[in-house]
Amino acid sequence: MRVVVTGAAGFIGGHAVAALTRAGHDVLAVDAPARSLTPGRARERFAALGVPTAHVDLAEDPLDAVADADAVVHLAGRPGVRTSWGAGRAAVARDNVEATRRLLDACRDSGAKVVLASSSSVYGTAGARPSRETDPPLPASPYAESKVEVERLAAKAADAGVAVAVLRYFSVYGPGQRPDMAFHRFIEAALDGRPLPLFGDGGHLRSFTHVRDAVAATLAALTRPLPGGVVVNVGSAEPVSVLDALERIATALGVPAAVTRRPLVAGDVSRTWADPGRAAHLLGWRPTTTLDDGLADQIAWHRSLR
Ligand SMILES: NC(=O)c1ccc[n+]([C@@H]2O[C@H](COP(=O)([O-])OP(=O)(O)OC[C@H]3O[C@@H](n4cnc5c(N)ncnc54)[C@H](O)[C@@H]3O)[C@@H](O)[C@H]2O)c1
């Protein structure tokens, strides 16, 4: 298949490009590195992908490159709850909502299949059981609201005949993780001999999901026949507290689990918890990387950068 990966200079996008290429697809990598939270890093990664690339700002440039594809894996966007407040609101409206609106319009015209990234944040704080795709959204930040809107656009596009699947990723980690994310900050601090920066008391739970598993679900969504507009959780069924993860990192690196506490940021929900039943049923997917193995993998990547 000719597959366009948007957000290819990003964390999940880079892994998706590699996995699709390994699976024998013709990949065109699309990104606008200037729109990344870390533009310098995105430029470097984009140049090193080893597949054809196209600089396309999905929110304003013509989308001809996308229109030639059999399928699009749409990972471009402005991630992160914390940076979505204040001035970040305009960025999530532009790079999540407007970019996706234009992309879905282009795919309606071309007939390309679309797999696009949503987020566990649409659920808000999970209750006493894992979140299911049928639960009502309770977005608690501008980022989460933008993903609810992205999902609404996908549902409309599906009604108009676009073969679109929406994946709700849960706290993805692994080699190449974004610098604003918790494990990246913990590991870098530990390797520097600094205390680990912890937002809140660390009691918040996350369905941490290794990027290899997230990408496996993405490829399955691309190749399997799915109901139009389907929404699927891509997350581990076993949430772990951020403090537990931090202690595992400290143990793996042989450093004390000393922390500097920072206040929790509005919109940082106290629990995400995936019910991956639909992913198992429709995608034949279940996560296979344990948290300890996945952390070892990410730690090895951080060490390789030094
Ligand atoms: N990483 C996670 O844990 C996680 C969890 C849930 C959802 N998601 C979603 O998955 C997707 C990928 O996340 P990531 O962690 O790889 O983020 P990332 O920031 O590493 O990658 C996103 C990429 O999109 C590009 N981009 C932004 N705006 C663009 C535009 N207008 N046109 C073209 N490219 C643009 C950026 O340059 C960047 O390279 C995002 O939609 C994010 O919201 C990620």
Side-chain angles (χ1 to χ4, degrees), residues 63-120:
L63 301 186
D64 312 344
V66 170
D68 286 340
D70 299 311
V72 178
V73 176
H74 178 44
L75 300 168
R78 171 65 63 123
V81 165
R82 287 182 208 119
T83 52
S84 71
W85 297 98
R89 271 181 195 277
V92 294
R94 181 187 190 283
D95 293 325
N96 294 349
V97 181
E98 182 56 20
T100 303
R101 184 196 318 279
R102 295 183 83 241
L103 179 90
L104 288 169
D105 280 353
C107 293
R108 190 192 53 215
D109 296 343
S110 74
K113 178 172 185 173
V114 187
V115 176
L116 65 78
S118 184
S119 161
S120 57

